[in-house]
Amino acid sequence: MSVTMMDCIAREPEILARILDEYPQKLAPVRERLAQGPVRRLLILATGSSMNAAQCAAYAFSAWAQIQVEIKEPYPFTHYERFDEATDWVIALSQSGKSHSTLQAQRKAQAAGRAAYCMTSNGDSPLAQEADALLDINCGIEPVGFVTLGFSATVLNLLLIALMAGEAQGGISAAERDNTLNSLRALTQRLPEVMRRTDAFITRHQALLSSAPRYVAIGYGGLVGVAKEFETKFTETVRCPSSGFELEAYMHGPYLEANAGYLLLFIEDAPDARSGALREYMRPHVKAALTFSAAGDGDDQTLALDFPLDPLLAPLLLIVPVQILAFRVAAMKGIDLGVRIFDDFDKVLQSKI
Ligand SMILES: O=P(O)(O)OC[C@H]1O[C@](O)(CO)[C@@H](O)[C@@H]1O
């Protein structure tokens, strides 16, 4: 039998634990870069899920290492932008290592005199081959195109890079580093329980989850990356109109499209007054306003994971219910993810090489 998206999600606890054990070796190029001098402005070139993963981890760089992260869509960076000379580190992030736009952007950074660090799970890929240094995501090549395992592995690696930078640049102590590593290990061990709770929640709400014509997720801070990945994953798998918004940005226009068919999903690390106020305002106007929360035991409308944690780590936990939700709602809609559609797309459009 072929490997499914759910098989990949189920491997996350094991693979994330491995990444935590092996990162000092696998991310050795990060140490070498940090030894060359401080990093203040990091440019991450990435598209799709890889861009969303970068958004999940970006604030850890500023909090722990005082690094300003810019995440750029590769194509406009290549074709419309002047290279910012203040950039002192460039990571071209592509899980497959085959996105053509990211390859072109990597070349532009190299032409601007910057060493390109390629972060990928495929060391033989075109991006890896042309890069100046390789950052191995250390999850193997994901056999399913709708990436989940690679997404979570990317977020964890980026958090670990931020941690290494934080320690090297004096932003955090060795004790703080160890506390964070312990929290990450505990998070990884919590994932099987997260999966069980998510399954039960989805089964309970099956009727409304399967019948909505429009899905919207809302997050804040690093959880915007989770909301954006909701958009990417639902669009790829559920194939109904789906969007992810930043909490405050949602209040500037997007709410106006809400109607009685609309399914809203709030993503919270802990009870949040602003997110809660929006949910209560919107609830009478929509089919359902559900919440995924890292904290608490929750109510009928809330999947509560009862695992309070540092908000900077929360995306790594809260992405898992989103991934399972995409897989299960696709199945409820009768979509067979094993059947390829638009099979000639990459051949014709050359977006992946
Ligand atoms: O991280 P990569 O391999 O560059 O892929 C970026 C995006 O391209 C896709 O694989 C589609 O081509 C998406 O699923 C993914 O989010």
Side-chain angles (χ1 to χ4, degrees):
M1 259 193 31
S2 54
V3 179
T4 68
M5 189 175 150
M6 196 57 225
D7 295 330
C8 295
I9 297 168
R11 291 191 62 211
E12 287 180 16
E14 165 212 338
I15 296 296
L16 298 187
R18 182 176 89 192
I19 290 168
L20 280 163
D21 286 343
E22 297 179 355
Y23 86 91
Q25 297 83 46
K26 293 286 180 185
L27 297 180
V30 171
R31 235 186 343 271
E32 286 152 24
R33 168 61 193 87
L34 294 167
Q36 289 165 22
V39 175
R40 291 293 163 225
R41 292 179 76 87
L42 166 62
L43 170 62
I44 301 181
L45 301 161
T47 192
S49 279
S50 288
M51 172 178 260
N52 304 337
Q55 274 187 282
C56 285
Y59 299 123
F61 283 88
S62 53
W64 295 337
Q66 292 82 49
I67 293 175
Q68 186 68 30
V69 179
E70 286 184 291
I71 305 164
K72 293 198 171 173
E73 183 68 52
Y75 191 90
F77 166 77
T78 302
H79 295 283
Y80 302 105
E81 273 196 32
R82 184 189 293 267
F83 187 84
D84 179 357
E85 289 301 330
T87 304
D88 45 27
W89 195 14
V90 179
I91 296 179
L93 167 56
S94 172
Q95 291 167 63
S96 67
K98 294 181 176 178
S99 287
H100 186 234
S101 60
T102 312
L103 177 62
Q104 285 186 310
Q106 176 173 276
R107 287 178 182 157
K108 175 163 171 164
Q110 289 170 315
R114 300 302 188 279
Y117 284 66
C118 172
M119 189 166 175
T120 181
S121 48
N122 184 354
D124 296 322
S125 62
L127 260 124
Q129 294 298 309
E130 286 193 22
D132 301 289
L134 175 66
L135 302 174
D136 181 1
I137 296 172
N138 196 16
C139 62
I141 297 174
E142 191 158 358
V144 176
F146 316 115
V147 294
T148 50
L149 176 62
F151 181 90
S152 295
T154 302
V155 174
L156 177 56
N157 274 285
L158 286 168
L159 290 172
L160 291 167
I161 293 171
L163 207 53
M164 292 167 81
E167 200 187 352
Q169 301 190 165
I172 55 167
S173 66
E176 286 167 324
R177 175 206 60 200
D178 289 343
N179 277 342
T180 304
L181 286 172
N182 286 339
S183 301
L184 286 167
R185 283 194 194 97
L187 186 160
T188 299
Q189 286 159 10
R190 180 72 177 172
L191 292 184
E193 173 64 14
V194 168
M195 292 177 195
R196 276 192 287 278
R197 287 185 182 219
T198 303
D199 265 329
F201 183 83
I202 294 173
T203 301
R204 201 161 71 239
H205 292 291
Q206 193 153 347
L208 71 91
L209 286 168
S210 61
S211 58
R214 166 87 170 123
Y215 300 86
V216 170
I218 296 172
Y220 51 86
L223 297 172
V224 175
V226 176
K228 286 290 174 193
E229 181 60 4
F230 170 96
E231 174 180 312
T232 301
K233 217 84 294 171
F234 259 61
T235 303
E236 289 178 337
T237 60
V238 177
R239 300 169 190 166
C240 285
S242 307
S243 303
F245 291 100
E246 193 279 328
L247 171 62
E248 204 64 30
Y250 182 78
M251 304 194 200
H252 292 271
Y255 69 95
L256 290 166
E257 67 154 351
N259 58 42
Y262 205 86
L263 191 136
L264 268 177
L265 175 64
F266 291 84
I267 302 168
E268 300 179 351
D269 47 53
D272 178 273
R274 192 78 174 138
S275 183
L278 177 63
R279 180 174 47 240
E280 293 322 308
Y281 180 88
M282 295 303 294
R283 188 163 266 151
H285 302 285
V286 297
K287 184 185 194 72
L290 304 177
T291 305
F292 287 175
S293 172
D297 279 327
D299 53 29
D300 180 60
Q301 303 288 298
T302 304
L303 167 62
L305 303 175
D306 194 19
F307 192 77
L309 77 177
D310 182 338
L312 294 172
L313 310 185
L316 193 58
L317 186 82
L318 285 157
I319 190 57
V320 176
V322 166
Q323 294 168 338
I324 297 172
L325 189 67
F327 176 76
R328 290 205 46 198
V329 175
M332 289 172 201
K333 297 256 186 199
I335 294 167
D336 182 350
L337 295 174
V339 176
R340 285 184 68 99
I341 56 171
F342 298 104
D343 211 13
D344 58 349
F345 189 89
D346 287 334
K347 191 159 161 261
V348 176
L349 277 302
Q350 296 285 303
S351 59
K352 280 276 198 311
I353 47 175

